[in-house]
């Protein structure tokens, strides 16, 4: 069974640009969560999608958004990039919305110059 | 909100030694998860614990769900160089009925051959 895949793996952008990251969950998994990982803040929850609906959102500005498609694939978008958005963005999938183990993808390393 | 305090922050040990790390919280968790992350990769699930008092092994790894439900520990026996990485404890955020995970700060393990 294929794991969680994320594309692209690496991305370099400049301040003010926008970026879209993609995540394909494990086959059959319907819940997708996104996390931001930085050395200073650790792993922080961005948002979670289940059945194409955002079910929970972390404490991030509105520049961070996401969506989920009918095949459970998910994208997250960051507009008007700032230097502080440089991070590893991780996607995790699970079968159910809550009470289920989450499996992580390899992440997308975003560098903002 | 809920927080997880992980200790120690880092460990530098000799190959063959046993390792112990723990995670504590001021609030109750119903699930404890232990992940390992290697440089440039996403966290990989090592052990999941679902019941207070549960003791679960995965090869040389053993983890326990504390009976108070406020702590968990992970032991690695006879460490080898490939055990190097960052180990995270995590648990579901009890304030939201979703899959949002709360993560500890991580324990960085280095093994000297």
């Amino acid at each position: 069974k294929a794991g969680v895949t994320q594309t692209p793996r690496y991305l370099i952008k400049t301040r003010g640009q926008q970026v879209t990251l993609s995540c394909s969950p494990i086959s059959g998994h319907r819940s997708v969560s996104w996390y931001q990982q930085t050395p200073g803040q650790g792993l922080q929850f961005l948002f979670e999608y289940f059945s194409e609906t955002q079910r929970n959102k972390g404490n991030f500005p509105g520049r961070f958004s996401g969506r989920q498609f009918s095949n459970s694939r998910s994208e997250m978008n960051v507009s008007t990039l700032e230097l502080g958005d440089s991070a590893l963005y991780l996607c995790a999938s699970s079968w159910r919305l809550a009470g289920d183990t989450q499996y992580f993808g390899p992440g997308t390393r975003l560098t903002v110059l | 909100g809920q927080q997880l305090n992980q200790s120690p922050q880092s460990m530098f040990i000799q190959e063959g030694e046993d390792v112990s790390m723990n995670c504590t919280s001021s609030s109750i968790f119903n699930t404890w998860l232990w992940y390992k992350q290697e440089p440039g990769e996403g966290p990989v699930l090592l052990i999941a614990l679902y019941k207070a008092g549960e003791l679960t092994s995965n090869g040389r790894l053993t983890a326990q769900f504390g009976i108070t439900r406020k702590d968990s520990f992970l032991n690695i026996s006879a460490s080898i160089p490939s055990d190097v990485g960052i180990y995270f404890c995590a648990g579901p955020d009890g304030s939201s009925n979703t899959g949002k995970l709360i993560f500890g700060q991580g324990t960085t393990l280095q093994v000297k051959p």
Side-chain angles (χ1 to χ4, degrees):
Chain A
K1 201 180 211 183
V4 178
T5 58
Q6 292 186 246
T7 57
R9 290 293 311 274
Y10 303 93
L11 209 47
I12 299 176
K13 293 284 187 179
T14 56
R15 279 181 299 174
Q17 286 187 310
Q18 75 164 24
V19 67
T20 299
L21 312 181
S22 181
C23 170
S24 292
I26 291 172
S27 177
H29 283 192
R30 297 168 63 195
S31 175
V32 173
S33 298
W34 289 88
Y35 294 82
Q36 181 196 64
Q37 186 177 28
T38 59
Q41 299 297 319
L43 278 145
Q44 296 205 298
F45 174 80
L46 279 158
F47 26 63
E48 180 177 20
Y49 289 86
F50 183 83
S51 294
E52 302 176 66
T53 302
Q54 187 180 92
R55 302 301 180 125
N56 200 354
K57 190 177 193 306
N59 190 24
F60 280 83
R63 300 185 296 107
F64 291 81
S65 63
R67 59 178 176 167
Q68 186 180 34
F69 302 95
S70 58
N71 61 358
S72 295
R73 191 177 70 84
S74 177
E75 288 181 347
M76 67 163 281
N77 184 77
V78 188
S79 62
T80 319
L81 285 166
E82 300 177 0
L83 295 179
D85 296 334
S86 294
L88 181 67
Y89 289 88
L90 293 160
C91 165
S93 78
S94 61
W95 176 255
R96 298 175 296 175
L97 179 61
D100 198 18
T101 304
Q102 294 186 25
Y103 297 87
F104 283 82
T108 294
R109 170 71 64 186
L110 172 64
T111 302
V112 182
L113 302 176
Chain B
Q2 290 180 297
Q3 285 187 318
L4 291 177
N5 298 307
Q6 205 170 333
S7 65
Q9 198 169 355
S10 63
M11 303 180 76
F12 189 89
I13 62 170
Q14 198 78 29
E15 182 178 0
E17 289 184 357
D18 295 344
V19 171
S20 185
M21 59 191 78
N22 73 307
C23 202
T24 59
S25 172
S26 58
S27 52
I28 288 171
F29 278 81
N30 293 318
T31 299
W32 287 90
L33 306 170
W34 285 93
Y35 289 90
K36 176 189 177 187
Q37 186 176 28
E38 297 184 21
E41 298 296 329
V44 174
L45 182 68
L46 299 173
I47 293 178
L49 302 161
Y50 300 105
K51 199 162 63 172
E54 181 181 354
L55 184 71
T56 297
S57 293
N58 178 9
R60 295 178 294 105
L61 277 60
T62 302
Q64 184 157 28
F65 191 143
I67 56 173
T68 65
R69 295 201 282 161
K70 292 184 178 181
D71 61 353
S72 176
F73 72 75
L74 175 71
N75 284 346
I76 304 173
S77 63
S79 58
I80 58 179
S82 62
D83 290 334
V84 165
I86 305 176
Y87 292 79
F88 291 97
C89 61
D93 180 1
S95 65
S96 69
N97 190 28
T98 67
K100 174 186 175 183
L101 292 178
I102 307 295
F103 282 85
Q105 309 96 312
T107 294
T108 299
L109 177 64
Q110 297 180 66
V111 179
K112 185 177 179 182

